[in-house]
């Protein structure tokens, strides 16, 4: 396997959204926020594709771990100093997501507001989502290392939704900062300090 990490482009959106949808289709907070739907992958694929296309590709960083032409894993980061999403981008996302989600969008927005209320102050890289096609091959760790290395003088923040993911983040230098109670939760808030600057 010639696995490596690169920056995603528009041509990767479909595969990346599919990987993320499969990874989070059984994630307790997501499933609860969606109202335990019969087709969670279909709903999540639509959401992730829209967010990648209209937000994170241009206002953050989307890393893909690839083997040849196949996307094996995806990490989606919000960049430091990110402001509010422009109204035009919000409108495009709503136009794509609302017809698929219907009233489920209200539940999802409610959960998003709860999570956002616990964001730490300041500027940092925010790991919005990380997912792999086949767990246990080190793809998640490779993506995480890549993102942390890019952070340099900024800290990194995330919410872990499962005990196994929290343990992975702890091995990569993240520390627990308390929980966020959401339906299907809790989410573990985790922080990683910036790497120390080498003294000359």
């Amino acid at each position: 396997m010639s696995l490596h990490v690169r920056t995603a482009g528009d041509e990767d959106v479909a595969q990346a959204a599919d990987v993320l949808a499969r990874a989070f289709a059984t994630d307790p907070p997501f499933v609860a926020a969606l109202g335990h739907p019969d087709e969670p992958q279909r709903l999540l694929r639509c959401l992730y594709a829209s967010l990648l296309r209209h937000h994170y590709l241009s206002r953050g960083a989307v890393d893909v771990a690839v083997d040849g032409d196949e996307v094996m894993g995806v990490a989606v980061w919000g960049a430091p100093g990110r402001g509010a999403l422009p109204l035009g981008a919000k409108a495009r996302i709503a136009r794509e997501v609302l017809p698929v989600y219907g009233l489920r969008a209200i539940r999802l927005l409610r959960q998003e507001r709860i999570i956002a209320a616990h964001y730490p102050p300041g500027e940092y890289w925010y790991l919005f989502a990380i997912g792999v096609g086949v767990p246990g091959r080190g793809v998640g760790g490779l993506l995480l290392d890549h993102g942390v290395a890019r952070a340099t003088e900024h800290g990194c923040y995330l919410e872990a939704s499962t005990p196994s993911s929290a343990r992975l983040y702890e091995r990569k230098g993240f520390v627990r900062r308390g929980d966020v109670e959401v339906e299907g939760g809790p989410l573990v808030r985790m922080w990683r300090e910036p790497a120390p600057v080498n003294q000359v």
Side-chain angles (χ1 to χ4, degrees):
M1 183 169 69
S2 57
L3 189 68
H4 66 281
V5 176
R6 62 169 173 78
T7 301
D10 291 334
E11 70 280 2
D12 298 305
V13 166
Q15 272 201 81
D18 188 60
V19 168
L20 290 168
R22 284 187 278 119
F24 283 92
T26 57
D27 186 72
F30 258 117
V31 172
L34 295 175
H36 303 277
D38 294 331
E39 300 178 277
Q41 286 190 39
R42 179 180 68 88
L43 296 174
L44 288 170
R45 192 179 298 113
C46 167
L47 177 66
Y48 282 125
S50 191
L51 288 172
L52 293 177
R53 191 179 296 114
H54 302 303
H55 184 190
Y56 286 102
L57 283 177
S58 59
R59 297 169 56 81
V62 181
D63 303 320
V64 287
V66 295
D67 184 9
D69 294 328
E70 185 178 1
V71 174
M72 308 292 291
V74 187
V76 184
W77 296 83
R82 62 197 185 283
L85 195 61
L87 288 177
K90 287 183 178 179
R92 287 189 289 273
I93 293 170
R95 192 161 52 242
E96 293 175 358
V97 172
L98 286 177
V100 178
Y101 275 67
L103 293 177
R104 286 190 176 95
I106 298 173
R107 298 173 63 104
L108 202 61
L109 285 170
R110 185 183 302 124
Q111 186 191 71
E112 180 189 355
R113 290 193 186 101
I114 293 171
I115 294 170
H118 291 82
Y119 289 160
E123 296 189 358
Y124 48 87
W125 285 93
Y126 172 54
L127 182 58
F128 170 69
I130 185 169
V132 301
V134 181
R137 296 186 179 179
V139 176
L142 184 67
L143 284 164
L144 196 55
D145 288 342
H146 185 85
V148 166
R150 177 178 49 228
T152 59
E153 73 271 18
H154 290 98
C156 298
Y157 173 74
L158 58 86
E159 299 99 10
S161 59
T162 65
S164 60
S165 63
R167 288 192 294 271
L168 169 63
Y169 300 134
E170 284 180 317
R171 290 197 297 272
K172 297 297 183 178
F174 286 80
V175 296
R176 297 173 185 248
R177 286 280 185 90
D179 294 346
V180 181
E181 294 294 338
V182 296
E183 189 178 359
L187 300 173
V188 182
R189 301 170 64 244
M190 305 192 75
W191 173 263
R192 190 182 193 280
E193 291 290 343
V197 178
N198 292 330
Q199 300 295 322
V200 178

